[in-house]
Amino acid sequence: MLKEMCKIINGSELNKNAHEFEQGTKIISVTASPHDEKKVMCLRVMANITEHEPLAVEQTRECAQREKGGKEGLPYVEDMEKIKEIPCVGVSNIQRAPINTGAMMYKSVELSKFMFNDGEFQTLFDGKLYYQGEEVMNCVICIDHIVASDKRTCYECSVYINGKIYHKTIQANIFFTGLWLQDSIPGFATSVEKNKAMKLIYKYLNCLVKKTQGKNICNQCNKPGWTEHEGYMIYVTPDGTIPNVGLQIVSVYGQRFGNVGDPERGNVRTFLSMARLTPRTWTAPIILLYDVMCFSYSLYKKAGLLPKFLLFLNGKRGCYKTSLSLLMTQIERRDSPEYSLKATAAGIEAGYRKYKDAVMLVDDLAPCTELRELNNMKSNVERLVRAFGDGTGIKRNFDFCDSDKELEQYEAEGGAIITGEFVTGCESSLARCLILPLALADVDVMLMTELQKDEGLLPNFMAKFIEYLAMNYQGIVSYIRERGKHYRANLNGKFSNARYGEYYAQLAVAAELLVQKYGYETGQLSQADCDQQLEVFMYSIQQAIEYNDHALMEESPITLLCRAIIMKIDSNMFAVVPKNSKVNNEIHQILETEDAYYIRAEDIYSMKNSYDHENGIFRAEYKAATLANMLCDAGIARRIHEGKTVRTGRKIGNARYVEINKKELFEQANL
């Protein structure tokens, strides 16, 4: 049969190598006229019989070539630039043959992987399916991968129809019915009676699966990011693993890094240029180091230096908070944030799955007139802070779903950055954030515009950096552990909250990983470059931690409460009278002695609300009893023991008053 087809084609090169072709030669290069479809069809059939794809079909126009002064028999090329755009067909070890850009050539390259002939079904050059010579439908299918997981098997396939290719992922139980074709492929049509068509399509799809069986199988896992496999660490993505270790493993969720094979990608100097986006402040350098730390999250965890904080980028509207965050933290969706604080809690929590060992961006905490919407945003901020600051997980109930659904836990195993016009949260929540201030004048807009043009800047660098970490992961984990211990020992007790010492150590280790390890050991940075860059990073870390440490003390809820009380006393919001005077409980008054104020809990609540409103402070709502307890816990107010009962207020007349020590009040308010 092959010899007969060789006669039809009548190409000297193919006739000469007919025996080699029968033995499995992978390269087929045939010269054919652009209108000689008979030759082309025979070539396609031969390729399917031997299970090899033709590399290219050359189109010659000898007359036109001679008119242009070319050599007889060479391919005629209309546009050399377009050749670069034509994808190479076949397995990776086949060398690409000279081709041209004639319409028939381009179509044949597109269609080559869809060609199929098993004696009953034929897929022809026109992109249609035939059964024993009778047209069945106007599209053809190719299974690219079989994706298998513990729960289900899916087929990643391409569908060619009307000159277009659609990529679909179809579950196995739906794939064979063929119903998904008419539901999701535009222009799909059958050419025979409906029931007959569906039976033939079912049979055709089974033939495709049988042909693909044992080939192109991917093992699918739910969790992306770093995972341990046979004694080494790899980073799993929906497109495969970093580094490529010859394993067909993909993840359901995660980051798509795209093509990372270019040796020029991963340049540390290009990545470090993003640190200059805020030349007047330390905001951009801290975001850069946070990237390095979060994409190495699981390695930090193995080293016992688990990051437990997020970034809060704070600034007025229009100061490029969102643009800066998208450029510096997002592998995908660089045009707009994927998550908003206005979303539901479940919607945001579901995003934790995608951002394992990556940075999740949630935009935008801003004042609004709708109280319910404002409270929802504050609640989401608190939820994110607790999830990433405590490393906790959320379990969602699937009882209302099918019986085979499992209880899924959404764990925060990476980092997050929140953008907002104001900061909200109690003291413990604020301690789980690093607040990064940003003003319009801080951003180098020209540099940002330039870097935004390079869409692969962050994914290209991160892919190479992750590959470096994976190839040296045992040494890297040991390095993180030892350097973390070093910084922890030197920072013990230096900040008001012990968490800040941890943040300092984690960011400092990230700086060394980026510069001293990756930059220097890959030969991209000299030792002098490393020393200079490390000096910049360490200064930025010191400034950021000191700023947040001071802000936590200055802006803690108890400090603001004390300031509110003092300011409202000075403004005569309530009349101040001596404690030993006659008390009129019908009138809200503040009682005073030389050492203390006596104020009703509900009046403290009113003073705090009035102060917050006047100063534009947006905080979590507190009850009057909560504020009284806060003052007692801080040692500013005194608890009263009445028998076995402990109260926050002393009963004077018919009302209870919180006894506030004047000296402690003013010291806490820093006034």
Side-chain angles (χ1 to χ4, degrees), residues 196 198 219 313 347 391 423 482 540 576 622 628 663 667:
K196 181 180 179 181
M198 297 314 294
N219 296 310
L313 192 55
V423 179
E482 294 306 315
S540 298
V576 180
Y622 295 104
K663 180 182 177 182
E667 284 184 358

Side-chain angles (χ1 to χ4, degrees), residues 540-559:
S540 298
I541 295 169
Q542 182 73 30
Q543 293 296 307
I545 299 299
E546 288 181 354
Y547 172 87
N548 279 267
D549 187 44
H550 180 71
L552 186 66
M553 292 187 292
E554 284 288 309
E555 303 299 324
S556 69
I558 189 64
T559 300

Side-chain angles (χ1 to χ4, degrees), residues 392-576:
T392 57
I394 300 295
K395 287 190 175 183
R396 288 289 170 187
N397 189 355
F398 284 94
D399 290 344
F400 56 88
C401 296
D402 298 335
S403 58
D404 63 340
K405 294 288 183 180
E406 295 181 6
L407 199 63
E408 186 170 3
Q409 182 157 349
Y410 302 150
E411 296 176 282
E413 299 178 279
I417 182 167
I418 299 174
T419 66
E421 295 182 39
F422 62 90
V423 179
T424 183
C426 60
E427 184 173 358
S428 62
S429 296
L430 295 175
R432 288 165 168 79
C433 305
L434 274 188
I435 300 169
L436 308 181
L438 188 69
L440 178 61
D442 294 337
V443 181
D444 186 336
V445 181
M446 291 185 65
L447 177 60
M448 184 169 69
T449 303
E450 179 184 342
L451 294 178
Q452 283 173 331
K453 295 176 183 177
D454 185 359
E455 294 185 357
L457 192 158
L458 183 61
N460 293 339
F461 170 79
M462 275 302 168
K464 289 297 183 183
F465 178 67
I466 289 169
E467 183 177 298
Y468 165 81
L469 295 179
M471 301 300 289
N472 304 276
Y473 92 93
Q474 289 183 329
I476 292 296
V477 170
S478 298
Y479 185 85
I480 294 173
R481 182 182 297 111
E482 294 306 315
R483 296 304 294 165
K485 287 180 180 178
H486 166 76
Y487 284 110
R488 280 170 162 172
N490 292 330
L491 294 168
N492 188 28
K494 287 199 171 183
F495 303 104
S496 65
N497 193 305
R499 280 179 167 268
Y500 289 130
E502 290 288 305
Y503 306 162
Y504 191 112
Q506 290 158 5
L507 292 171
V509 171
E512 292 186 6
L513 277 182
L514 174 62
V515 178
Q516 197 68 48
K517 298 296 287 182
Y518 178 73
Y520 182 73
E521 290 187 2
T522 58
Q524 299 182 62
L525 297 177
S526 66
Q527 188 59 57
D529 292 333
C530 292
D531 294 341
Q532 181 181 2
Q533 191 62 58
L534 279 175
E535 185 178 349
V536 172
F537 279 140
M538 294 306 174
Y539 173 79
S540 298
I541 295 169
Q542 182 73 30
Q543 293 296 307
I545 299 299
E546 288 181 354
Y547 172 87
N548 279 267
D549 187 44
H550 180 71
L552 186 66
M553 292 187 292
E554 284 288 309
E555 303 299 324
S556 69
I558 189 64
T559 300
L560 293 176
L561 176 58
C562 292
R563 288 180 182 176
I565 292 171
I566 293 170
M567 294 298 180
K568 291 304 165 183
I569 290 174
D570 291 345
S571 67
N572 296 316
M573 182 176 179
F574 299 102
V576 180

